[in-house]
Amino acid sequence: MPDLGFYLLLIGFLLTVHALAAGLLGGWRRRPELVASGKRALVALAGVLALSSAALVSALVTHDFSVAYVARHTDSHLPIFYTVSAFWAGQEGSLLFWALVLAVGSAFAVRFNLRGLGPATPYVVASLGGVNLFFVAVLAFSANPFERLPATVPDGAGLNPLLRNPGMVFHPPLLLAGYATFAIPFAFAMGAMASRRLDTAWIRATRRWTLLAWFSLTAGILLGAEWAYKVLGWGGYWAWDPVENASLLPWLTGTAYLHSVMIQEKKGMLKIWNLVLITLTFELAVFGTFLTRSGILGSVHSFSGSSLGPMFFAFLAATGVLSFGLLWRRRELLRSENRLEAVLSRESSFLFNNLVLVALAFAVLTGTMFPLISEYVTGEKISVGPPYYNKVAAPFGLALLALTGICPLISWRKATWRNFRNNFLWPLAATVAGTGLLYAAGVGRPLALGLLAACLFVLIVTGLEFVRGARARRRMTGEAARTALRKLIAKNPRRYGGFIVHAGTAVLFVGIVGSSFYQTAVDATLAPGESLQAGDYTVVFRGLEPARDPSRESVYAKLELLHEGAFRGTLRPARHYYPNSDQPATSVAIRTSPVEDVYVILQRWERNGAARLRVMVNPLTFWIWAGGGLMLLGTAIVLWPEPKHAVAAVRVPKEVVCDAA
Amino acid sequence: MRRKVALVFSCLLAAVSMPAAGPPATVEQVASNLICPCGCDNMIVSACVCGTAAQLRAEIGDKLAAGMTAEQIWDDFLRRYGQEILATPPMKGFHLTVWVLPFLAALTAGWLLTRILRRWAARPKADDLSHPPTTIPEDDELLREMQEELRRFQQ
């Protein structure tokens, strides 16, 4: 069975070579039957990789410890749920998962999204074939998940205990799926450039893919943060470590791309910039995959140890050179169809949003790579840790939030002083009043106050959009308020879904500000009966409690939580000991509320019954997850198919408003 | 213009480099600028849950109680563990690049963007007479449909 999986990879490799060659030749010689056969190769590839993946899952589930991957990442006691999730727990498996997502996406894209692309079609097939080719080649020749051990081992090494958590089961595949899906708009962009068909057809054809990639990446990043908070157990959710940064980079450029394509769709401008952005996003997604799985950033020296490094870098360089080379050759064709009417317009606010997002990505990339660069240049090892990113990212975050609020208030084409004043007066006044209240309530740190003011501004502006829209509907149709609101969103999911994402971002930032500026942490070693004070909370230690089940041994600390003297429940943080792991796993106890989380870590316990505890009060952390959920909900609404009739109905008022303004 | 950019830039740099002023440092503040030497991935001492971090936090507490300032404590750690222990690179020499580069890049890009926008806005209106600038050819049908609908609505 495992051998079959490997042979399927080889067949897959041939199929990708065929898709690439047939696409190129079909385009060059104008032979549609070749292009059709290239398409079929991509559809077949999806089937072949699905079967190959099934072979890996079957090896995992049947505990075939003759396969190195199975022996390294599972053991015979592992529950079935986690055994299956080991598919993406290691390097080879996660690359297979990447390739699978890409191949299935490619198959759907060539089946359903090629209509209207005309001469670009063969080259889109070829580029999809090319990207698939790279990943299948890596699997078949360098990171084979089906590699056999010299001899079957009696039992496997088991899954890292930290990964035995539902959040961790879904976080990696969502992240990988997000990375892989960005390859589809990239391939379409390459096809468009190669064929000189450079209107908005490729953007329209891949709009849903881009959104799907963004949704998946966002969900993956959020689940990763939640996993860090609830399982890793250090009291935070984002440590700015290289792997986290690697997932943020394509997210930032992808977000910029999502916004700037709107300008091309509406006005035929920014064609070059959009091609640059999708190339960057794809390159960063591949870079992220590579970083996640190689650990090169530990040191420059670990890089040479793996043959994957040179392969990935060669691929990144080749696609980068090809894409930017094509862009250079086509620069004459990429002239804007329209001119900008005023510097102060919504178009330019989109561009500044792009600027901030890309600059932030550049800052994060600089910080992530700097230890390597510095070691190379000065020979000295240095660290670039969270304080660096917090300081550097804060001004960008502030600018981004401010733009999120300002953008919907500026008219398309040209903002006049009058509509500027009309639109800004009330939201700004309300924000100033709200900020004053926050200051009076004790938010004294300037940066925290600034960020919260920006969040407030975004929420007010976004709220107003819904209120105004619903009111206009009610006036015209006489619907009830709730119906008007629902129909407003249903008739224009792109616009209002987008606003929900913006509101979600602001809510998420409220959580980030609360938890990072106002966290309280207390360390103490307590004997049974003793207590400690953290903020307004008292934690009473009632003693240790051992427990044992088939997979692990555990020690729990029994705690009582009091808030200003009133009993608020019990907490049981623990340390777990797994037979196959020399590192104990901590499991934190969290009491969550919209105001603040009480977060308790059992750091150590003593034979005499004492416990060393770390108790934190994390204000507003709840809103990070709420805001994240809102962002995903908004994206889902944007993804919702809009009826053709509704498209017309919603686009008119905007144009009319613009013309009237 | 250039002077304005220089001013914004120096303000930004000053804001970033400003040490946390105000009340004397807490253990959390001192520990949050140190990377845990335990080998955990880039984790700061104030957050790391390993035994080493707990020990270092206790040590920082003792040192603060003995009257040392945050800077003195960081210097002491720097001597013992090397530059790698500090969570942020020093703002001098080659390491200044990591602090300056992001802002320099953003401001340069911002300046370029403003220039480009001005140039675009100044472009002649030559083709505007034939068709209004907001319509994209593909949208013509859509637009007609929309206007039709609008008319019906207003009636």
Side-chain angles (χ1 to χ4, degrees):
Chain A
M1 200 54 182
D3 294 328
L4 183 65
F6 176 66
Y7 294 134
L8 285 164
L9 286 179
L10 292 180
I11 296 172
F13 176 69
L14 294 178
L15 287 169
T16 57
V17 173
H18 178 75
L20 174 65
L24 285 178
L25 206 64
W28 181 40
R29 294 272 177 190
R30 296 181 199 276
R31 299 261 302 271
E33 72 279 8
L34 269 179
V35 181
S37 115
K39 285 190 208 170
R40 283 195 296 274
L42 286 174
V43 175
L45 177 71
V48 163
L49 288 189
L51 285 175
S52 182
S53 302
L56 182 61
V57 172
S58 134
L60 286 164
V61 172
T62 58
H63 303 301
D64 184 347
F65 294 124
S66 70
V67 177
Y69 188 80
V70 178
R72 253 200 323 270
H73 298 288
T74 61
D75 61 42
S76 45
H77 306 295
L78 197 66
I80 180 87
F81 180 60
Y82 294 121
T83 307
V84 173
S85 82
F87 181 9
W88 46 73
Q91 175 176 286
E92 296 84 355
S94 54
L95 285 173
L96 178 57
F97 184 78
W98 214 109
L100 175 69
V101 173
L102 176 61
V104 171
S106 306
F108 275 99
V110 294
R111 182 80 184 71
F112 298 109
N113 301 107
L114 287 177
R115 222 168 305 130
L117 281 183
T121 308
Y123 300 105
V124 170
V125 171
S127 343
L128 285 171
V131 180
N132 275 295
L133 168 69
F134 170 72
F135 280 93
V136 179
V138 165
L139 283 164
F141 307 118
S142 180
N144 173 15
F146 302 100
E147 197 171 295
R148 299 275 191 172
L149 287 170
T152 303
V153 291
D155 201 353
L159 190 69
N160 183 340
L162 289 176
L163 303 184
R164 296 180 202 190
N165 166 269
M168 205 50 194
V169 168
F170 297 109
H171 155 67
L174 280 168
L175 216 53
L176 292 166
Y179 288 153
T181 311
F182 271 123
I184 290 172
F186 170 73
F188 275 63
M190 296 288 280
M193 282 197 283
S195 67
R196 298 160 194 267
R197 173 85 205 267
L198 284 159
D199 56 6
T200 51
W202 71 272
I203 286 178
R204 281 161 201 260
T206 56
R207 192 180 80 86
R208 289 231 148 65
W209 290 107
T210 311
L211 284 165
L212 202 63
W214 194 87
F215 179 90
S216 190
L217 199 55
T218 309
I221 291 173
L222 285 167
L223 274 180
E226 202 202 11
W227 170 78
Y229 188 66
K230 295 193 172 150
V231 180
L232 224 43
W234 52 275
Y237 38 84
W238 189 263
W240 294 105
D241 79 31
V243 174
E244 286 172 342
N245 293 351
S247 66
L248 190 62
L249 292 172
W251 187 88
L252 289 169
T253 55
T255 308
Y257 172 75
L258 272 180
H259 286 91
S260 71
V261 288
M262 285 185 226
I263 305 284
Q264 186 170 345
E265 270 190 88
K266 272 181 178 298
K267 316 211 68 178
M269 299 173 82
L270 304 183
K271 292 177 177 179
I272 297 182
W273 179 235
N274 287 327
L275 290 164
V276 170
L277 274 184
I278 191 61
T279 304
L280 279 182
T281 305
F282 172 73
E283 298 271 298
L284 288 171
V286 174
F287 180 66
T289 312
F290 166 61
L291 213 60
T292 312
R293 287 305 168 199
S294 69
I296 55 153
L297 290 173
S299 161
V300 257
H301 308 297
S302 60
F303 174 54
S304 51
S306 137
S307 67
L308 272 185
M311 282 178 89
F312 266 84
F313 268 86
F315 179 67
L316 282 174
T319 46
V321 166
L322 196 64
S323 170
F324 288 118
L326 270 172
L327 196 60
W328 181 250
R329 300 274 311 256
R330 300 287 181 262
R331 65 189 184 282
E332 288 303 318
L333 290 170
L334 288 163
R335 294 236 178 267
S336 287
E337 292 161 20
N338 270 298
R339 58 184 284 276
L340 197 71
E341 277 167 64
V343 175
L344 188 64
S345 60
R346 188 172 299 179
E347 288 88 330
S348 57
S349 80
F350 268 62
L351 276 169
F352 280 101
N353 131 309
N354 267 240
L355 172 88
V356 176
L357 283 165
V358 175
L360 180 55
F362 178 72
V364 173
L365 185 65
T366 310
T368 311
M369 300 307 290
F370 197 70
L372 271 187
I373 300 168
S374 164
E375 195 186 342
Y376 186 76
V377 173
T378 65
E380 187 184 28
K381 269 183 172 275
I382 58 144
S383 304
V384 178
Y388 166 83
Y389 295 101
N390 291 339
K391 278 181 176 162
V392 171
F396 290 106
L398 190 60
L400 206 57
L401 276 173
L403 279 171
T404 311
I406 292 168
C407 181
L409 297 182
I410 301 185
S411 326
W412 289 102
R413 292 171 61 189
K414 185 172 183 172
T416 60
W417 170 238
R418 224 184 77 200
N419 74 39
F420 197 74
R421 199 186 49 200
N422 287 349
N423 289 343
F424 274 87
L425 191 61
W426 288 111
L428 213 56
T431 306
V432 170
T435 312
L437 283 178
L438 283 173
Y439 184 73
V443 182
R445 311 263 294 265
L447 188 57
L449 197 62
L451 284 165
L452 287 179
C455 292
L456 194 61
F457 184 56
V458 173
L459 289 172
I460 290 171
V461 169
T462 322
L464 266 180
E465 286 289 339
F466 284 93
V467 172
R468 281 185 185 146
R471 205 185 276 160
R473 271 198 78 86
R474 287 190 68 185
R475 256 204 314 271
M476 292 200 277
T477 60
E479 290 163 345
R482 197 179 289 176
T483 322
L485 191 63
R486 197 178 39 116
K487 285 203 170 162
L488 182 76
I489 299 171
K491 294 261 168 168
N492 198 347
R494 281 181 76 173
R495 180 178 167 85
Y496 290 97
F499 282 135
I500 292 175
V501 178
H502 285 179
T505 314
V507 170
L508 182 130
F509 261 93
V510 168
I512 293 177
V513 172
S515 58
S516 45
F517 283 87
Y518 296 97
Q519 187 182 57
T520 317
V522 179
D523 287 286
T525 306
L526 301 180
E530 288 184 327
S531 65
L532 70 79
Q533 193 74 28
D536 299 335
Y537 293 90
T538 311
V539 174
V540 189
F541 177 48
R542 290 293 173 203
L544 296 168
E545 190 179 75
R548 164 180 290 207
D549 64 43
S551 66
R552 64 185 189 188
E553 288 182 49
S554 314
V555 174
Y556 289 89
K558 288 187 292 181
L559 306 170
E560 283 168 14
L561 180 71
L562 297 101
H563 182 244
E564 291 173 338
F567 180 73
R568 283 298 163 84
T570 57
L571 293 169
R572 281 160 49 91
R575 289 176 82 78
H576 304 294
Y577 301 86
Y578 291 89
N580 288 339
S581 169
D582 48 357
Q583 272 217 355
T586 54
S587 105
V588 294
I590 308 173
R591 187 174 177 82
T592 198
S593 84
V595 179
E596 55 200 2
D597 287 6
V598 179
Y599 188 105
V600 187
I601 308 163
L602 175 58
Q603 289 187 298
R604 212 171 54 216
W605 51 273
E606 312 283 352
R607 295 262 167 236
N608 66 11
R612 183 164 180 83
L613 298 173
R614 183 169 173 77
V615 179
M616 294 183 223
V617 181
N618 300 328
L620 304 176
T621 311
F622 171 85
W623 298 101
I624 293 178
W625 321 124
L630 213 51
M631 287 168 82
L632 293 178
L633 174 73
T635 319
I637 290 174
V638 175
L639 270 165
W640 207 257
E642 44 189 332
K644 214 177 163 115
H645 174 74
V647 178
V650 283
R651 281 205 190 154
V652 177
K654 233 189 287 172
E655 303 293 336
V656 169
V657 167
C658 284
D659 291 335
Chain B
M1 183 68 196
R2 201 170 295 160
R3 203 180 294 162
K4 229 189 283 173
V5 170
L7 188 71
V8 171
F9 191 67
S10 45
C11 283
L12 268 175
L13 204 63
V16 163
S17 58
M18 204 128 63
T26 63
V27 175
E28 290 299 311
Q29 278 167 3
V30 178
S32 66
N33 198 31
L34 297 170
I35 297 282
C36 189
C38 63
C40 310
D41 208 10
N42 221 19
M43 209 62 167
I44 47 177
V45 171
S46 57
C48 198
V49 284
C50 70
T52 319
Q55 236 167 23
L56 291 180
R57 283 196 296 267
E59 192 190 321
I60 293 166
D62 293 343
K63 286 187 164 152
L64 284 173
M68 283 173 81
T69 65
E71 281 73 24
Q72 287 168 332
I73 299 175
W74 287 329
D75 280 344
D76 181 49
F77 275 100
L78 183 65
R79 265 195 301 281
R80 273 158 56 194
Y81 294 94
Q83 186 64 49
E84 228 182 337
I85 188 97
L86 292 188
T88 50
M91 285 197 201
K92 57 173 191 238
F94 176 72
H95 296 138
L96 201 58
T97 355
V98 76
W99 292 102
V100 174
L101 204 58
F103 296 108
L104 196 65
L107 289 172
T108 314
W111 175 70
L112 268 175
L113 181 58
T114 324
R115 275 194 57 159
I116 292 174
L117 286 176
R118 287 235 174 89
R119 215 171 64 194
W120 282 357
R123 240 181 235 169
K125 272 189 169 185
D127 54 342
D128 284 7
L129 301 169
S130 48
H131 50 84
T134 37
T135 43
I136 305 166
E138 286 98 320
D139 275 348
D140 272 348
E141 198 179 333
L142 205 62
L143 201 72
R144 258 200 311 282
E145 213 174 295
M146 287 188 250
Q147 280 160 347
E148 180 68 23
E149 186 155 338
L150 198 70
R151 254 197 308 282
R152 255 183 287 144
F153 213 89
Q154 285 161 342
Q155 276 162 8

